[in-house]
Amino acid sequence: EVQLLESGGGLIQPGGSLRLSCAASGFAFSGNAMSWVRQAPGKGLEWVSVISGSGGSTYYADSVQGRFTISRDNSKKTLYLQMSSLRVEDTAVYYCAKGGITIFGNWFDPWGQGTLVTVSS
Amino acid sequence: DIQMTQSPSSLSASVGDRVTITCRASQGINNYLAWYQQKPGKVPKLLIYGASTLQSGVPSRFSGSRSGTDFTLTISSLQPEDVASYYCQKYNSAPFSFGPGTTVDIK
Protein backbone atom coordinates (compact mmCIF):
# COMPACT_ATOMS: atom_id res chain seq x y z
CA GLU A 1 0.00 0.00 0.00
CA VAL A 2 1.31 3.42 -0.96
CA GLN A 3 1.64 5.70 2.03
CA LEU A 4 2.74 9.32 2.31
CA LEU A 5 3.24 10.96 5.68
CA GLU A 6 3.99 14.65 5.97
CA SER A 7 5.60 16.31 8.96
CA GLY A 8 7.28 19.54 9.94
CA GLY A 9 4.36 21.93 10.00
CA GLY A 10 3.74 24.39 12.78
CA LEU A 11 3.46 28.03 13.77
CA ILE A 12 6.10 30.33 12.34
CA GLN A 13 6.52 34.08 12.26
CA PRO A 14 6.44 36.04 9.00
CA GLY A 15 9.86 36.05 7.40
CA GLY A 16 10.80 32.77 9.02
CA SER A 17 11.78 29.41 7.55
CA LEU A 18 10.43 25.91 7.86
CA ARG A 19 11.19 22.55 6.29
CA LEU A 20 8.46 20.06 5.54
CA SER A 21 9.09 16.36 5.02
CA CYS A 22 7.07 13.65 3.34
CA ALA A 23 8.02 10.06 4.11
CA ALA A 24 7.01 7.62 1.41
CA SER A 25 6.51 3.87 1.46
CA GLY A 26 4.91 1.15 -0.59
CA PHE A 27 6.26 2.11 -4.02
CA ALA A 28 9.50 2.69 -5.94
CA PHE A 29 10.05 6.22 -4.66
CA SER A 30 12.94 7.13 -6.93
CA GLY A 31 10.90 6.19 -9.98
CA ASN A 32 8.18 8.75 -9.41
CA ALA A 33 7.86 12.51 -9.60
CA MET A 34 6.48 14.07 -6.43
CA SER A 35 4.56 17.27 -5.84
CA TRP A 36 3.53 19.58 -3.05
CA VAL A 37 0.03 21.04 -3.08
CA ARG A 38 -1.37 23.44 -0.50
CA GLN A 39 -4.79 24.49 0.67
CA ALA A 40 -5.37 27.68 2.64
CA PRO A 41 -8.11 27.48 5.28
CA GLY A 42 -11.50 27.33 3.58
CA LYS A 43 -9.95 27.73 0.13
CA GLY A 44 -9.21 25.58 -2.90
CA LEU A 45 -6.18 23.56 -3.91
CA GLU A 46 -3.02 25.28 -5.12
CA TRP A 47 -0.17 23.38 -6.74
CA VAL A 48 3.18 24.46 -5.25
CA SER A 49 6.05 22.49 -6.73
CA VAL A 50 7.12 19.28 -8.45
CA ILE A 51 10.38 17.34 -8.59
CA SER A 52 11.40 14.55 -10.92
CA GLY A 53 12.23 11.07 -9.68
CA SER A 54 15.96 11.70 -9.94
CA GLY A 55 15.65 15.13 -8.39
CA GLY A 56 17.25 16.71 -11.44
CA SER A 57 14.21 18.71 -12.56
CA THR A 58 12.04 21.00 -10.50
CA TYR A 59 9.23 23.47 -11.14
CA TYR A 60 7.50 26.00 -8.92
CA ALA A 61 4.34 28.06 -8.80
CA ASP A 62 5.00 31.76 -9.32
CA SER A 63 3.72 32.44 -5.80
CA VAL A 64 6.61 30.53 -4.20
CA GLN A 65 9.36 30.81 -6.82
CA GLY A 66 12.58 31.99 -5.20
CA ARG A 67 11.34 31.35 -1.65
CA PHE A 68 10.61 27.60 -1.61
CA THR A 69 12.93 24.76 -2.59
CA ILE A 70 11.78 21.23 -3.28
CA SER A 71 14.22 18.35 -2.88
CA ARG A 72 14.28 14.64 -2.24
CA ASP A 73 16.49 11.99 -0.69
CA ASN A 74 15.79 8.78 -2.56
CA SER A 75 17.91 6.73 -0.16
CA LYS A 76 15.57 7.81 2.64
CA LYS A 77 12.44 7.79 0.47
CA THR A 78 11.69 11.28 1.67
CA LEU A 79 10.50 14.43 -0.08
CA TYR A 80 11.22 17.88 1.32
CA LEU A 81 9.96 21.42 0.96
CA GLN A 82 12.24 24.11 2.34
CA MET A 83 10.20 27.25 2.84
CA SER A 84 11.81 30.62 3.56
CA SER A 85 10.71 34.26 3.70
CA LEU A 86 7.34 32.94 4.79
CA ARG A 87 4.31 35.19 4.45
CA VAL A 88 0.93 35.18 6.14
CA GLU A 89 -0.58 34.07 2.84
CA ASP A 90 1.53 30.88 2.93
CA THR A 91 -0.68 29.65 5.76
CA ALA A 92 -2.18 26.38 4.54
CA VAL A 93 -2.30 22.64 4.85
CA TYR A 94 0.53 21.28 2.73
CA TYR A 95 0.02 17.94 1.02
CA CYS A 96 2.58 15.82 -0.76
CA ALA A 97 1.30 13.77 -3.68
CA LYS A 98 2.72 10.99 -5.81
CA GLY A 99 3.04 11.64 -9.50
CA GLY A 100 4.11 9.39 -12.33
CA ILE A 101 7.29 8.27 -14.03
CA THR A 102 7.63 11.62 -15.75
CA ILE A 103 7.02 15.10 -14.35
CA PHE A 104 4.49 15.96 -17.05
CA GLY A 105 1.49 13.97 -18.12
CA ASN A 106 0.69 12.31 -14.81
CA TRP A 107 -2.03 12.85 -12.25
CA PHE A 108 -1.56 12.96 -8.48
CA ASP A 109 -2.38 9.81 -6.57
CA PRO A 110 -2.36 9.28 -3.70
CA TRP A 111 -2.01 12.29 -1.41
CA GLY A 112 -0.65 12.41 2.10
CA GLN A 113 -2.68 13.48 5.12
CA GLY A 114 -1.21 16.98 5.08
CA THR A 115 0.64 19.14 7.56
CA LEU A 116 -0.57 22.56 8.69
CA VAL A 117 1.70 25.57 8.37
CA THR A 118 0.54 28.72 10.12
CA VAL A 119 2.41 31.95 9.47
CA SER A 120 1.50 34.52 12.06
CA SER A 121 3.07 36.99 14.44
CA ASP B 1 -0.08 30.16 -18.11
CA ILE B 2 -3.20 28.14 -18.81
CA GLN B 3 -6.12 29.08 -16.58
CA MET B 4 -8.68 26.58 -15.32
CA THR B 5 -12.23 27.65 -14.56
CA GLN B 6 -15.10 25.65 -13.12
CA SER B 7 -18.84 26.09 -13.03
CA PRO B 8 -20.92 26.23 -11.03
CA SER B 9 -19.01 27.19 -7.89
CA SER B 10 -21.62 25.35 -5.85
CA LEU B 11 -24.77 23.35 -6.37
CA SER B 12 -27.47 21.70 -4.35
CA ALA B 13 -29.29 18.68 -5.73
CA SER B 14 -31.54 15.89 -4.55
CA VAL B 15 -30.51 12.31 -4.01
CA GLY B 16 -30.79 10.50 -7.31
CA ASP B 17 -30.33 13.63 -9.42
CA ARG B 18 -27.91 13.81 -12.31
CA VAL B 19 -25.19 16.36 -11.53
CA THR B 20 -22.86 17.98 -14.04
CA ILE B 21 -19.77 20.06 -13.30
CA THR B 22 -17.87 21.84 -16.05
CA CYS B 23 -14.19 22.72 -16.20
CA ARG B 24 -12.72 24.87 -18.95
CA ALA B 25 -9.06 25.30 -19.88
CA SER B 26 -8.00 28.61 -21.41
CA GLN B 27 -5.85 26.72 -23.95
CA GLY B 28 -5.73 23.19 -25.24
CA ILE B 29 -4.51 20.54 -22.84
CA ASN B 30 -5.54 17.46 -24.80
CA ASN B 31 -6.80 14.88 -22.32
CA TYR B 32 -4.40 15.86 -19.52
CA LEU B 33 -7.19 16.58 -17.08
CA ALA B 34 -7.93 14.99 -13.72
CA TRP B 35 -10.85 15.30 -11.34
CA TYR B 36 -10.48 15.08 -7.55
CA GLN B 37 -13.04 14.74 -4.82
CA GLN B 38 -12.45 16.24 -1.39
CA LYS B 39 -14.94 15.40 1.31
CA PRO B 40 -15.19 17.79 4.27
CA GLY B 41 -12.11 17.50 6.45
CA LYS B 42 -10.56 14.84 4.25
CA VAL B 43 -7.69 14.45 1.81
CA PRO B 44 -8.31 14.97 -1.92
CA LYS B 45 -8.96 11.72 -3.77
CA LEU B 46 -8.41 11.04 -7.47
CA LEU B 47 -11.63 10.25 -9.32
CA ILE B 48 -10.81 10.52 -13.01
CA TYR B 49 -7.66 10.96 -15.10
CA GLY B 50 -7.09 11.33 -18.79
CA ALA B 51 -10.35 13.33 -18.87
CA SER B 52 -12.48 10.19 -18.85
CA THR B 53 -10.70 7.22 -17.23
CA LEU B 54 -12.22 6.20 -13.93
CA GLN B 55 -9.71 5.52 -11.17
CA SER B 56 -9.90 2.02 -9.75
CA GLY B 57 -12.46 1.73 -6.97
CA VAL B 58 -14.42 4.83 -7.93
CA PRO B 59 -18.16 4.16 -8.30
CA SER B 60 -19.38 3.93 -11.88
CA ARG B 61 -21.92 6.71 -11.32
CA PHE B 62 -18.97 9.08 -11.84
CA SER B 63 -17.90 9.79 -15.41
CA GLY B 64 -15.84 12.33 -17.30
CA SER B 65 -15.84 13.67 -20.82
CA ARG B 66 -14.11 16.23 -23.00
CA SER B 67 -15.17 18.53 -25.80
CA GLY B 68 -12.27 20.64 -26.98
CA THR B 69 -11.12 22.62 -23.97
CA ASP B 70 -14.30 21.94 -22.01
CA PHE B 71 -14.38 19.03 -19.59
CA THR B 72 -17.32 17.61 -17.71
CA LEU B 73 -17.66 15.57 -14.55
CA THR B 74 -21.01 13.84 -14.25
CA ILE B 75 -22.55 12.07 -11.30
CA SER B 76 -25.36 10.03 -12.79
CA SER B 77 -27.30 9.55 -9.57
CA LEU B 78 -26.23 11.72 -6.64
CA GLN B 79 -25.73 9.89 -3.37
CA PRO B 80 -25.41 11.35 0.15
CA GLU B 81 -21.77 10.24 0.30
CA ASP B 82 -21.01 12.41 -2.76
CA VAL B 83 -21.27 15.60 -0.69
CA ALA B 84 -17.84 17.11 -1.34
CA SER B 85 -15.84 19.67 -3.25
CA TYR B 86 -14.72 18.68 -6.71
CA TYR B 87 -11.61 20.05 -8.42
CA CYS B 88 -10.29 19.69 -11.94
CA GLN B 89 -6.55 19.87 -12.62
CA LYS B 90 -4.43 20.14 -15.72
CA TYR B 91 -1.25 18.08 -15.74
CA ASN B 92 0.17 18.42 -19.24
CA SER B 93 2.82 20.90 -18.12
CA ALA B 94 3.73 23.10 -15.17
CA PRO B 95 2.07 24.88 -13.49
CA PHE B 96 -0.29 22.02 -12.70
CA SER B 97 -3.20 24.36 -12.01
CA PHE B 98 -6.40 23.39 -10.29
CA GLY B 99 -9.82 24.81 -10.98
CA PRO B 100 -11.39 26.83 -8.15
CA GLY B 101 -13.63 23.94 -7.16
CA THR B 102 -17.31 23.09 -7.08
CA THR B 103 -19.08 22.34 -3.82
CA VAL B 104 -21.87 19.77 -4.05
CA ASP B 105 -24.43 19.24 -1.32
CA ILE B 106 -27.79 17.59 -0.90
CA LYS B 107 -31.01 19.58 -1.21
Side-chain angles (χ1 to χ4, degrees):
Chain A
E1 179 191 8
V2 174
Q3 290 193 337
L4 301 171
L5 183 62
E6 302 92 337
S7 61
L11 176 63
I12 186 78
Q13 291 189 338
S17 298
L18 203 61
R19 188 177 83 160
L20 306 183
S21 299
C22 170
S25 62
F27 66 103
F29 183 69
S30 62
N32 288 85
M34 297 290 295
S35 277
W36 288 99
V37 178
R38 68 184 181 183
Q39 186 170 35
K43 302 299 183 181
L45 301 173
E46 180 187 14
W47 172 76
V48 173
S49 183
V50 65
I51 186 168
S52 63
S54 68
S57 294
T58 59
Y59 294 86
Y60 299 90
D62 288 345
S63 58
V64 307
Q65 179 78 49
R67 300 187 299 122
F68 290 11
T69 301
I70 191 171
S71 63
R72 63 193 298 160
D73 185 334
N74 286 341
S75 67
K76 295 182 178 179
K77 296 187 177 182
T78 301
L79 173 72
Y80 303 101
L81 185 68
Q82 178 68 47
M83 305 184 295
S84 60
S85 301
L86 281 162
R87 305 167 180 169
V88 171
E89 55 265 35
D90 294 319
T91 294
V93 173
Y94 285 74
Y95 298 100
C96 63
K98 173 179 171 286
I101 296 173
T102 57
I103 280 186
F104 302 137
N106 290 281
W107 49 93
F108 295 175
D109 181 63
W111 300 46
Q113 289 299 308
T115 187
L116 176 62
V117 173
T118 302
V119 184
S120 176
S121 55
Chain B
D1 292 346
I2 297 173
Q3 305 302 313
M4 306 301 292
T5 58
Q6 275 183 245
S7 61
S9 57
S10 65
L11 67 90
S12 184
S14 300
V15 172
D17 281 356
R18 183 181 184 88
V19 169
T20 299
I21 299 169
T22 298
C23 172
R24 175 170 291 172
S26 61
Q27 299 175 40
I29 58 171
N30 293 315
N31 286 331
Y32 294 108
L33 191 284
W35 288 97
Y36 301 89
Q37 175 193 62
Q38 185 177 33
K39 296 183 178 181
K42 300 298 186 181
V43 176
K45 170 189 169 184
L46 176 69
L47 292 178
I48 287 170
Y49 60 91
S52 61
T53 303
L54 205 63
Q55 172 68 340
S56 175
V58 174
S60 59
R61 62 181 179 274
F62 291 92
S63 64
S65 64
R66 170 200 170 195
S67 176
T69 58
D70 290 344
F71 300 84
T72 300
L73 173 68
T74 299
I75 308 173
S76 61
S77 176
L78 187 67
Q79 300 301 304
E81 59 266 33
D82 300 334
V83 169
S85 293
Y86 294 84
Y87 298 91
C88 62
Q89 182 207 21
K90 61 173 280 291
Y91 55 85
N92 59 315
S93 63
F96 300 126
S97 308
F98 291 88
T102 296
T103 302
V104 175
D105 64 20
I106 302 293
K107 189 183 297 182

